[in-house]
Amino acid sequence: MGAVTATSQELEPAPVSLADRAYAAIQDLLIMLIPPMAPIDDGALSESLGIGRTPVREALKRLQAERLVVSYPRRGTFATGVDITDLAYISEIRVQLEPLAARRAAQTADRGIRGKLAELADEIEALDVTAIDRTDLMRWDLRVHRGIYRAAGNPHLEDTLIRYNNLATRIFCLFLDRMTHFDQHVGEHVALLRGIADGDVAKVGKLAREHVLGFEKAIRSAT
């Protein structure tokens, strides 16, 4: 069940340039697989991704602006550290913007997009959370959020939310093994996706807010 599905792919924009491809791939590596403060070797990334060094370096510059990598003169480029104190700042932003994206998606998404979100809800509900490894769990989590941001139809809102959800997901990855009741977190995704598919604007705004607050509470209880 961990493989990318046609539904989830259609809900996300396809990278068009080599730099975009490098950016998307390195972004997800930084979120889920590259540890905080690990050195970033652009040559090794170029080779592993099958993309030239120039697009990789362009991607790293973009990711530095998004606080996922940091460069030091004469030392090199590193994945940024994760500071749990940032969680409050990130949640302060997400608790305002996640409900906005959910409400916009419920109000403005066309029938085709709503149908894809309903299909994604069915796929998520069918997952056996206990049988999926942590990386696949995080991929499903990212697909849900990015799908909702895309469905909201506001590219500026989408870009902002992707940035802050990426930072929240890095924290999530560090504490995932200590968290309990992950099935509840997944269930919240299902309800949110179906609410958007049904066009229930008030309901999804409330669910999205509760989801962000519940996420922060779960992380703090695991620290």
Side-chain angles (χ1 to χ4, degrees), residues 7 10-11 104-119 151 193 196-199:
T7 297
E10 290 169 5
L11 289 169
R104 276 190 58 86
Q107 189 170 28
T108 65
D110 63 31
R111 183 179 299 177
I113 293 296
R114 291 187 190 186
K116 292 183 176 70
L117 292 175
E119 290 173 15
L193 289 166
I196 294 171
D198 292 340

Side-chain angles (χ1 to χ4, degrees), residues 62-84:
R62 289 173 64 184
L63 292 163
Q64 184 171 355
E66 296 178 11
R67 298 178 182 265
L68 289 175
V69 299
V70 59
S71 293
Y72 300 103
R74 297 180 297 280
R75 287 182 57 196
T77 301
F78 300 81
T80 51
V82 171
D83 188 343
I84 191 63

Side-chain angles (χ1 to χ4, degrees), residues 37-78:
M37 298 312 300
I40 306 296
D41 183 335
D42 58 5
L45 280 175
S46 174
E47 184 176 350
S48 66
L49 297 174
I51 298 174
R53 283 198 178 194
T54 297
V56 166
R57 288 171 179 165
E58 290 175 9
L60 289 172
K61 287 180 182 178
R62 289 173 64 184
L63 292 163
Q64 184 171 355
E66 296 178 11
R67 298 178 182 265
L68 289 175
V69 299
V70 59
S71 293
Y72 300 103
R74 297 180 297 280
R75 287 182 57 196
T77 301
F78 300 81

